[in-house]
Every structure is written in structure tokens, then in C-alpha cells.
């Protein structure tokens, strides 16, 4: 057996479902018509009536089952193996979360069910808000945004509303050079202009760098703590004071909350608004695996602007929904991705406060263990041999071999691992950002580290083999530029329409 989880093995190729279609083949048998037949022209306007048959594939039930089951085996998920995709926090998602989300009282609840018949769901939303307030130290939380980026946008809309109320929405938002791309995107969508702030040589944001750019035109600073280099911003309190002293708000990108739960609260170190990525920190499947949820937490001054309707508890103990008069309005239909909220709430209740603190301790310990195993061989530019929840290595030490980060990622695929995040953060050239998370065992981290060390060796001995990788996969190395720019998405049937 291979010493790595990835082995070449039986695998099925699968044609497009349209290519397997055979005229007249059916997956079901319908009973004969037992009502009078009507002509569609009598009941529908002309514009809605088809002039030719819908181009749907015709297959039997077993063919459809095999098609999708085979395709599902082409997927890689955290249930298959190690998925150290940095910043994305691909932790294992306990199955009990799925169980609760599928309870019929939650899963069958129609979003238009009247409030008096949705009391349990509203109560759960309030309890989740309360737990998130407790973890973050924020004054109020709205669960409505559907993803992290959406939560950022919502928070910055609240910032704009609050500044407008004070008399001037201001023009610019400061963003460190280590930031995730969604931060500047949020700024632009909110009608602000991004003003970059350079981090220091050792990867930290300094109060001086912020002071230099901070003025009365600046609405906010958006920062991530721990930052995307896996470092806890040690000047955070002073930085927040600088921004506040000139009337700005501090937005904290909460995507890395997994590293600090129970240890430090953004609300306590000066953050005025943040998003939570329930699908990262609070353990619900994401990536290809499910919808996200990006609640936003804010300080007291921003609370009146949160999106509505908001769940509230009446004096008699029942629950209700209200929209506050200064609210920025709805940012999502209905109440957001409710199923994700049930999963996140289950996770929070499973672990409790002590469990959450342990999660962060283990996440940081695992990353440091990985760093200790690969740090002598791999170039790790920041942190001096220590990190928070992720290790950011680079391909710098391989420069003389011609092997790049992309080759390394493909070499890892051959060995059965999902690659880390590559070429991000941008301040690290050829970055490989590895986030093991707390759910991985010591053995898995050792296996992955062994693969990283083997790849570093192979780079000097046989670089061409790495340029060719992956070879153990169904589809080997693609021309990525062509695959992205001119993808072939359709076969025989679709082509007719183009
Ligand atoms: C994932 C992530 C985001 C965006 O969150 P989505 O849920 O993917 O929209 C923002 N910032 C950082 C640092 C992230 O890792």
C-alpha cells in the first residue's frame, strides 16, 4: 500500500448525460390520464408555449443513478481526506449537525409560515445570535447575510449609514496588503475607494502605517486578525485607537476567528463590525458542498442599521420579527440560509464555551506542529518559526530547480491530498497557505508533512516529474489558461444551440 492516502485505483469515466440519452428511454412510469385532456393554447398565453420539445436527456433510473454516483466519486471533500486549503478552514463537519438540520420542524418549515407557527425557528436564531455575540464581544448580530463576503458588505453598509447619520459618509477605506480580495470588493460595492496600507517587514500592521493614512476622509479600516500570514496582529489595540480617534470604524474580517475563540474577542480589542463565516468556523460543509452563512456582528452605534426583519423576544416570552426604522433593509430573501444556522447552533451547543476554546488551541497547535515538521526544509517567510492557525510557506527555496508552487500543488494531488491555497496572500510570492484545522490527527499532519518533504526532494532530483504531475488522477495536467478561458462545457447536444 502507498504510504499516502492517494493511490491509483479503479475509477469510472463518465460521458455527459446528454450523450447517454436514448430516445424514448424513461426513468418512471406514469399512470394513464384520468382527467379530460386540455389544449395548452386554451389555458396559456402563446409566449409561454413551447414551439419545440425541451432538450432533456432520456435515461432509465439506474443510468441516472450511476451517472451521478460516478460523478460524485470524482469529487474531493473533507470526508475523503486532508484538505488544508488555507483561509477556508476546511474542518471536518460532525454528522450530528446534519441530523438536527434535517429535523422536519426545521427542514420542512416554509419561509412564509406565520410568525406564531415559527416560534422555535425564531428562538433558535436568537440563541445563535446570542452565542455569536458572546464569542465575539459584539453588541448585536444579524444572521441574514448568505456568505462571508456578503457579511462584509452588510457591515460596511451599516458603517456608511452610521457615518451618513453623523453628517458625512466619508470616501476611503484602508486595507492592509495582506487582505483577502473580498475586502476591496466590498469597499468598491459600497461606493468607497480602497487605500492600501503596507504591512511591516515582519508581516504585521503597525499603528504608524495606519496613522499616516488615517484622516477625516477615511470611513474605516478593514483588517483580518489573525492576518492571512497566520500572525496575530500584536498592535491591534493601538491601531484601533488610531482609527477611532479620527472618527473611523474598524471592520474585522472574521474569517480567521477559528484561531482565537475563547482567547480574544474582536469586540474587546477594538473591532466595531465583523462577519462570521459559519461555514468555516462553525463547521458546516462549504466549497462545492453546501451554502454558506455570513452573519455580521456590530457595536452599539451600528446596531440600529442592521438588516431586518430581526428576531426579537416579546415581554410575554414569545418571539417576533421587527425591522428597525433606520435599518439598511433586507440583504437576503427571507432570513438567510437557515439550515446552516441550525448546523452552526448544533456545533456551538455540542462544544460549549470550553470546547470552542479547545478548538482554537488545537487549530493553532496543529498548524505549529506542521510548521515544525516542514519549517527546516520549506521557506516560511514570516513568524520566526511560530504561527497561529495556518502556515504560509513559499516556493522560494526551490527556485534553482524550476519547480513552482503550482507543481507542488499537483504533486500533492498525486499523493492524495487537496492542495493548500496557492499564490495567496499576495505579499508572499509563490505562497502555499496550509491550514490543517483542529480536526486532523497527528498522523494525518505527519503524512502531509512527509509528502511536502518528499516533494522538496523530488524537485531537486527529478523536477520534470513534478512539472508533469498529477499522473495518478483521471485527468492529468491541464493547460490551465485554456481550460479557464475556452472551457469545453458541452458535447453533441448542447452544440446545436450555439
Ligand atoms: C473566506 C474568506 C472571506 C470570504 O468569505 P466567503 O464566505 O467565501 O464569502 C473573506 N476573508 C477571508 C480572510 C476569508 O478567508
Amino acid at each position: 500500500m502507498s504510504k499516502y492516502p492517494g493511490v491509483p485505483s479503479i475509477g469510472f469515466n463518465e460521458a455527459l448525460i446528454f450523450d447517454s440519452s436514448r430516445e424514448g428511454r424513461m426513468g418512471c412510469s406514469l399512470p394513464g390520464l384520468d382527467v379530460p385532456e386540455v389544449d395548452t393554447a386554451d389555458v396559456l398565453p402563446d409566449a409561454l408555449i413551447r414551439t419545440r420539445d425541451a432538450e432533456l436527456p432520456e435515461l432509465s433510473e439506474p443510468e441516472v443513478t450511476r451517472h451521478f454516483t460516478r460523478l460524485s466519486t470524482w469529487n474531493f471533500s473533507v470526508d475523503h481526506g486532508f484538505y488544508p486549503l488555507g483561509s477556508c478552514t476546511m474542518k471536518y463537519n460532525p454528522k450530528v449537525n446534519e441530523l438536527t438540520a434535517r429535523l422536519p420542524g426545521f427542514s420542512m418549515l416554509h419561509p412564509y409560515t406565520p410568525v406564531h407557527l415559527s416560534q422555535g425557528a425564531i428562538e433558535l436564531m436568537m440563541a445563535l445570535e446570542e452565542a455569536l455575540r458572546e464569542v465575539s464581544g459584539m453588541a448585536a448580530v444579524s444572521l441574514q447575510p448568505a456568505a462571508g463576503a456578503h457579511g462584509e458588505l452588510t457591515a460596511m453598509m451599516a458603517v456608511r449609514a452610521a457615518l451618513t447619520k453623523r453628517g458625512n459618509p466619508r470616501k476611503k477605506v484602508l486595507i492592509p496588503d495582506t487582505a483577502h480580495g473580498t475586502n476591496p470588493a466590498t469597499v468598491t460595492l459600497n461606493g468607497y475607494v480602497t487605500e492600501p496600507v503596507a504591512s511591516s517587514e515582519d508581516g504585521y500592521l503597525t499603528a504608524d502605517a495606519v496613522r499616516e493614512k488615517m484622516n477625516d476622509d477615511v470611513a474605516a479600516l478593514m483588517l483580518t486578525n489573525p492576518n492571512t500570514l497566520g500572525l496575530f496582529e500584536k498592535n491591534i489595540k493601538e491601531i484601533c485607537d488610531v482609527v477611532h480617534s479620527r472618527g473611523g470604524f474598524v471592520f474585522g474580517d472574521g474569517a480567521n476567528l477559528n484561531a482565537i475563540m475563547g482567547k480574544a474577542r474582536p469586540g474587546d480589542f477594538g473591532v466595531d463590525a465583523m462577519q462570521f463565516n459559519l461555514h468555516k468556523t462553525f463547521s458546516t460543509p462549504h466549497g462545492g458542498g453546501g451554502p454558506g452563512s455570513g452573519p455580521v456582528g456590530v457595536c452599539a452605534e451600528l446596531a440600529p442599521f442592521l438588516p431586518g426583519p430581526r428576531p426579537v423576544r416579546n415581554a410575554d416570552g414569545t418571539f417576533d420579527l421587527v425591522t428597525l426604522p433606520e435599518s439598511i433593509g433586507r440583504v437576503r430573501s427571507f432570513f438567510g440560509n437557515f439550515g446552516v444556522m441550525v448546523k452552526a447552533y448544533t456545533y456551538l451547543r455540542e462544544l460549549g464555551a470550553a470546547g470552542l476554546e479547545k478548538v482554537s488551541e488545537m487549530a493553532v497547535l496543529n498548524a505549529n506542529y506542521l510548521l515544525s515538521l516542514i519549517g527546516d526544509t520549506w521557506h516560511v517567510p514570516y513568524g520566526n518559526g511560530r504561527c497561529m492557525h495556518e502556515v504560509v510557506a513559499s516556493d522560494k527555496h526551490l527556485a534553482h530547480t524550476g519547480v513552482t508552487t503550482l507543481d507542488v500543488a499537483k504533486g500533492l494531488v498525486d499523493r492524495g491530498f487537496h492542495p493548500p491555497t496557492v499564490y495567496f496572500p499576495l505579499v508572499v510570492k509563490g505562497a502555499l497557505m496550509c491550514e490543517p484545522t483542529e480536526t486532523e490527527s497527528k498522523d494525518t499532519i505527519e503524512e502531509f508533512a512527509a509528502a511536502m518533504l518528499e516533494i522538496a526532494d523530488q524537485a531537486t532530483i527529478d523536477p520534470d516529474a513534478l512539472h508533469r504531475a498529477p499522473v495518478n488522477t483521471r485527468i492529468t495536467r491541464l493547460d490551465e489558461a485554456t481550460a479557464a478561458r475556452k472551457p469545453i462545457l458541452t458535447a453533441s447536444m448542447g452544440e446545436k444551440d450555439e
Side-chain angles (χ1 to χ4, degrees):
M1 225 179 101
S2 157
K3 63 180 166 165
Y4 300 119
V7 289
S9 67
I10 188 167
F12 294 95
N13 278 325
E14 186 59 16
L16 290 183
I17 197 164
F18 289 100
D19 292 340
S20 311
S21 176
R22 295 291 174 271
E23 205 178 329
R25 204 167 277 176
M26 285 247 256
C28 58
S29 42
L30 298 174
L33 198 63
D34 61 355
V35 290
E37 197 165 341
V38 286
D39 192 347
T40 38
D42 295 338
V43 290
L44 286 176
D46 283 352
L48 294 182
I49 299 174
R50 285 186 198 286
T51 52
R52 54 174 188 169
D53 286 344
E55 288 182 2
L56 296 174
E58 297 175 71
L59 295 99
S60 68
E61 179 174 329
E63 285 171 321
V64 172
T65 301
R66 274 189 195 148
H67 176 74
F68 287 106
T69 305
R70 285 178 179 175
L71 288 185
S72 77
T73 66
W74 296 15
N75 252 337
F76 189 90
S77 74
V78 75
D79 285 0
H80 282 92
F82 191 46
Y83 204 136
L85 194 68
S87 214
C88 297
T89 313
M90 306 303 282
K91 62 172 76 176
Y92 173 76
N93 307 290
K95 297 294 169 252
V96 65
N97 300 354
E98 304 293 329
L99 192 82
T100 53
R102 279 179 203 154
L103 289 174
F106 293 134
S107 64
M108 306 296 278
L109 190 64
H110 193 280
Y112 279 128
T113 306
V115 164
H116 74 279
L117 297 175
S118 321
Q119 292 284 298
I122 303 175
E123 182 172 7
L124 181 136
M125 290 195 283
M126 286 206 70
L128 177 57
E129 284 186 3
E130 189 182 337
L132 296 177
R133 283 202 306 271
E134 179 64 32
V135 171
S136 63
M138 306 306 293
V141 168
S142 163
L143 304 174
Q144 219 178 78
H150 196 198
E152 291 174 35
L153 181 71
T154 305
M156 290 303 292
M157 286 166 76
V159 164
R160 177 178 270 282
L163 288 171
T164 305
K165 188 181 175 193
R166 280 195 207 157
N168 176 5
R170 304 191 174 194
K171 297 193 177 75
K172 290 191 270 185
V173 174
L174 306 184
I175 298 199
D177 53 9
T178 48
H180 194 270
T182 49
N183 295 177
T186 291
V187 170
T188 307
L189 268 179
N190 265 305
Y192 287 117
V193 174
T194 297
E195 177 81 29
V197 189
S199 21
S200 66
E201 244 160 44
D202 51 359
Y204 295 93
L205 194 60
T206 65
D208 281 343
V210 174
R211 199 173 285 118
E212 201 176 295
K213 303 258 170 148
M214 188 64 209
N215 57 45
D216 298 347
D217 270 348
V218 175
L221 163 72
M222 294 182 84
L223 56 68
T224 312
N225 193 22
N227 68 24
T228 60
L229 295 169
L231 306 176
F232 189 87
E233 293 287 6
K234 54 189 178 185
N235 312 309
I236 186 71
K237 185 76 180 67
E238 200 187 342
I239 289 168
C240 293
D241 288 347
V242 168
V243 176
H244 292 148
S245 70
R246 303 295 297 267
F249 287 94
V250 177
F251 172 85
D253 184 325
N256 291 345
L257 187 64
N258 206 49
I260 58 171
M261 288 186 295
K263 300 292 181 191
R265 305 197 308 169
D268 297 341
F269 57 65
V271 164
D272 303 302
M274 67 179 286
Q275 100 280 15
F276 302 83
N277 298 56
L278 294 190
H279 45 290
K280 295 180 181 173
T281 317
F282 300 100
S283 171
T284 81
H286 60 297
S293 176
V296 54
V298 294
C299 63
E301 187 184 348
L302 296 174
F305 305 104
L306 285 177
R310 302 190 38 68
V312 292
R313 191 191 300 262
N314 297 320
D316 65 0
T318 59
F319 297 92
D320 215 338
L321 294 167
V322 297
T323 296
L324 303 174
E326 292 176 298
S327 166
I328 57 168
R330 256 188 199 288
V331 295
R332 176 71 164 72
S333 55
F334 301 114
F335 308 100
N337 286 330
F338 180 69
V340 179
M341 296 170 202
V342 179
K343 294 178 200 179
Y345 182 67
T346 308
Y347 181 74
L348 276 155
R349 291 300 301 266
E350 261 171 78
L351 288 167
L356 281 188
E357 185 172 357
K358 184 102 180 170
V359 160
S360 289
E361 287 173 359
M362 293 304 293
V364 172
L365 184 65
N366 276 353
N368 278 281
Y369 185 47
L370 176 60
L371 175 55
S372 75
L373 295 175
I374 67 170
D376 287 340
T377 304
W378 281 81
H379 177 65
V380 178
Y382 294 100
N384 283 326
R386 281 281 173 277
C387 60
M388 291 293 289
H389 61 308
E390 50 204 3
V391 184
V392 182
S394 92
D395 60 2
K396 190 175 174 187
H397 65 116
L398 301 178
H400 65 286
T401 67
V403 167
T404 64
T405 285
L406 188 69
D407 299 325
V408 174
K410 305 297 184 195
L412 286 167
V413 171
D414 263 343
R415 289 163 176 84
F417 299 104
H418 193 288
T421 293
V422 292
Y423 300 104
F424 176 77
L426 304 178
V427 292
V428 175
K429 202 169 162 286
L432 283 144
M433 183 192 216
C434 316
E435 180 178 9
T437 84
E438 71 283 359
T439 58
E440 296 305 327
S441 68
K442 184 168 175 280
D443 310 76
T444 302
I445 293 171
E446 286 167 359
E447 262 177 8
F448 178 75
M452 288 289 283
L453 298 180
E454 188 180 90
I455 288 170
D457 272 349
Q458 192 181 16
T460 42
I461 301 163
D462 188 4
D464 283 343
L466 281 166
H467 296 320
R468 279 193 304 273
V471 294
N472 289 341
T473 47
R474 174 186 324 277
I475 292 171
T476 52
R477 180 78 67 112
L478 290 173
D479 173 347
E480 304 218 341
T482 308
R485 293 205 184 115
K486 295 183 194 159
I488 302 166
L489 298 176
T490 53
S492 50
M493 227 168 149
E495 269 162 20
K496 274 188 281 179
D497 280 349
E498 284 174 353

